[in-house]
């Protein structure tokens, strides 16, 4: 094992620390969703599914990326297995992206048609939404099985990710990953804007808003969406100013790619906690009925 530099130690500390923090936040979020007594509700199930994706990706940051830096091995950017692991992480990221789209659709339906939503967002249809998010995410994983041409790898010496330097890498990065992200984000913005218009219309008619909890969950969905926009814009735009000069811009490149990717999954869990914590507290404060 090669001797670690001070930069290597710092990078490992950041990735491990942020990863463990993210695992804790998403683990706690999932626990709150279960203990809150509303896990049978559609939105809570979508949140739980998204936290699961976050948890998996963060676990790979902790158990794969950080150890690769410690070992300073070429395995992370030469081995077919490593290429598949990296592609799998991208697929999990895409699951998170599609999960936020499903949450946006959920909020639109519940707020626009509160009575009909009980039938529309039943258990079967909710499972379909979750299944679609995971299915679409893993469709992105299929091209990565051509490990000789189509891949994304983690460079342990530079702490950053790079797609294969060919046409397939361009398609994977700019078309499938970035293009899909932008398309999904446009859909989310469209749905959210329509939801806002519906909220304003209903408030004018009813002179107020009775479903405060639905507004709260809509705010949660919007906040989580904003975090993903920050990650996407940094990973594909701002980082371009730094990744070409590894010697002088190692840390800016790291913070606009690897760090922000991991941070997004971490913060995603933290955002969820305050919006659902009261359900857990309220359930715990209910006194047992003595027969």
């Amino acid at each position: 094992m090669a001797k670690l530099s001070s930069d290597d130690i710092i990078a490992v500390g950041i990735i491990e620390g942020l990863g463990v923090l993210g695992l804790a936040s998403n683990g706690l979020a999932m626990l709150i969703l279960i203990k809150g007594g509303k896990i049978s509700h559609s939105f809570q199930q979508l949140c739980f599914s998204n936290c699961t994706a976050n948890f998996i990706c963060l676990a790979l940051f902790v158990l794969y990326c950080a150890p690769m830096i410690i070992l300073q091995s070429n395995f992370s950017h030469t081995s077919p297995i490593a290429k598949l692991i990296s592609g799998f992480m991208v697929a999990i990221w895409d699951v998170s992206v599609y999960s936020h789209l499903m949450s946006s659709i959920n909020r639109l339906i519940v707020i626009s048609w509160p009575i009909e939503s009980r039938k529309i967002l039943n258990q079967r249809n909710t499972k379909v939404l979750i299944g679609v998010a995971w299915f679409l995410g893993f469709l992105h994983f299929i091209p990565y099985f051509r490990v000789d041409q189509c891949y994304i790898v983690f460079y342990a010496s530079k702490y950053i990710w790079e797609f294969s330097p060919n046409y397939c890498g361009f398609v994977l990065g700019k078309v499938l990953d970035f293009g899909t992200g932008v398309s999904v984000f446009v859909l989310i913005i469209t749905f959210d804007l329509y939801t806002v218009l519906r909220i304003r219309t209903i408030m004018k008619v009813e002179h107020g808003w009775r479903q405060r909890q639905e507004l709260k969950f809509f705010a949660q969905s919007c906040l989580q969406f904003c975090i993903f926009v920050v990650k996407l814009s940094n990973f594909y735009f701002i980082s371009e100013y730094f990744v070409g000069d590894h010697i002088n811009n190692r840390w800016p490149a790291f913070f606009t790619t690897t760090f922000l990717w991991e941070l997004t999954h971490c913060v995603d869990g933290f955002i969820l906690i305050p919006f659902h914590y009261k359900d857990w507290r309220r359930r715990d404060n209910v006194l047992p009925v003595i027969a």
Side-chain angles (χ1 to χ4, degrees), residues 165-211:
N166 51 30
Y167 179 72
C168 189
F170 171 80
V171 172
L172 289 176
K174 299 298 184 182
V175 179
L176 279 182
D177 194 35
F178 176 70
T180 297
V182 170
S183 300
V184 170
F185 291 159
V186 168
L187 288 174
I188 291 176
I189 290 173
T190 303
F191 293 148
D192 286 354
L193 286 176
Y194 183 78
T195 302
V196 170
L197 291 175
R198 288 291 298 165
I199 291 172
R200 292 188 62 184
T201 301
I202 294 172
M203 289 184 72
K204 287 180 180 179
V205 173
E206 298 185 358
H207 304 289
W209 186 264
R210 298 176 183 177
Q211 296 176 299

Side-chain angles (χ1 to χ4, degrees), residues 193-240:
L193 286 176
Y194 183 78
T195 302
V196 170
L197 291 175
R198 288 291 298 165
I199 291 172
R200 292 188 62 184
T201 301
I202 294 172
M203 289 184 72
K204 287 180 180 179
V205 173
E206 298 185 358
H207 304 289
W209 186 264
R210 298 176 183 177
Q211 296 176 299
R212 291 184 178 274
Q213 188 176 53
E214 306 306 340
L215 280 179
K216 180 181 69 173
F217 291 156
F218 177 62
Q220 172 200 322
S221 180
C222 291
L223 279 175
Q224 290 176 310
F225 167 68
C226 290
I227 297 299
F228 275 72
V229 172
V230 171
K231 183 269 182 182
L232 191 75
S233 59
N234 274 270
F235 202 95
Y236 284 103
F237 289 110
I238 298 178
S239 66
E240 293 295 321

Side-chain angles (χ1 to χ4, degrees), residues 93 227-228 231 259-269:
W93 157 260
I227 297 299
F228 275 72
K231 183 269 182 182
F259 176 79
L260 261 177
W261 182 359
E262 189 178 16
L263 180 68
T264 300
H265 291 294
C266 176
V267 174
D268 210 26

Side-chain angles (χ1 to χ4, degrees), residues 3-267:
K3 184 178 180 180
L4 296 180
S5 67
S6 58
D7 283 354
D8 294 334
I9 295 173
I10 293 172
V12 170
I14 292 174
I15 293 174
E16 287 283 359
L18 189 59
V20 171
L21 189 63
L23 290 172
S25 69
N26 282 277
L28 179 59
M30 288 189 283
L31 178 64
I32 288 174
L33 288 170
I34 294 173
K35 293 291 187 179
K38 295 183 178 180
I39 194 62
S40 61
H41 294 194
S42 179
F43 187 68
Q44 279 76 356
Q45 290 181 20
L46 289 168
C47 290
F48 190 90
S49 174
N50 183 52
C51 284
T52 302
N54 289 336
F55 197 92
I56 293 172
C57 204
L58 287 163
L60 288 171
F61 271 106
V62 171
L63 300 176
Y64 171 67
C65 296
M68 286 298 100
I69 297 175
I70 295 173
L71 296 173
Q72 288 292 293
S73 172
N74 292 332
F75 175 87
S76 65
H77 62 271
T78 58
S79 169
I81 296 176
K83 293 176 181 179
L84 287 174
I85 292 174
S86 299
F88 177 77
M89 291 179 69
V90 173
I92 294 297
W93 157 260
D94 288 318
V95 170
S96 295
V97 172
Y98 287 118
S99 294
H100 285 289
L101 174 61
M102 300 309 165
S103 294
S104 179
I105 294 173
N106 176 282
R107 293 298 84 202
L108 171 63
I109 294 173
V110 170
I111 289 175
S112 300
W113 305 282
I115 298 176
E116 295 86 347
S117 66
R118 298 173 185 176
K119 293 183 178 179
I120 298 173
L121 297 173
N122 55 33
Q123 288 293 312
R124 183 180 66 85
N125 291 340
T126 298
K127 289 178 181 177
V128 169
L129 288 176
I130 294 172
V132 168
W134 284 84
F135 175 75
L136 291 177
F138 276 94
L139 278 182
H140 291 253
F141 188 40
I142 294 175
Y144 290 96
F145 283 96
R146 295 183 58 192
V147 292
D148 56 331
Q149 294 291 325
C150 305
Y151 56 83
I152 181 175
V153 292
F154 177 70
Y155 280 89
S157 60
K158 297 186 287 187
Y159 328 136
I160 61 173
W161 305 81
E162 291 184 9
F163 287 96
S164 52
N166 51 30
Y167 179 72
C168 189
F170 171 80
V171 172
L172 289 176
K174 299 298 184 182
V175 179
L176 279 182
D177 194 35
F178 176 70
T180 297
V182 170
S183 300
V184 170
F185 291 159
V186 168
L187 288 174
I188 291 176
I189 290 173
T190 303
F191 293 148
D192 286 354
L193 286 176
Y194 183 78
T195 302
V196 170
L197 291 175
R198 288 291 298 165
I199 291 172
R200 292 188 62 184
T201 301
I202 294 172
M203 289 184 72
K204 287 180 180 179
V205 173
E206 298 185 358
H207 304 289
W209 186 264
R210 298 176 183 177
Q211 296 176 299
R212 291 184 178 274
Q213 188 176 53
E214 306 306 340
L215 280 179
K216 180 181 69 173
F217 291 156
F218 177 62
Q220 172 200 322
S221 180
C222 291
L223 279 175
Q224 290 176 310
F225 167 68
C226 290
I227 297 299
F228 275 72
V229 172
V230 171
K231 183 269 182 182
L232 191 75
S233 59
N234 274 270
F235 202 95
Y236 284 103
F237 289 110
I238 298 178
S239 66
E240 293 295 321
Y241 293 100
F242 309 118
V243 294
D245 187 356
H246 169 63
I247 297 177
N248 296 319
N249 295 318
R250 167 180 286 192
W251 290 115
F254 166 75
F255 280 112
T256 53
T257 54
T258 303
F259 176 79
L260 261 177
W261 182 359
E262 189 178 16
L263 180 68
T264 300
H265 291 294
C266 176
V267 174

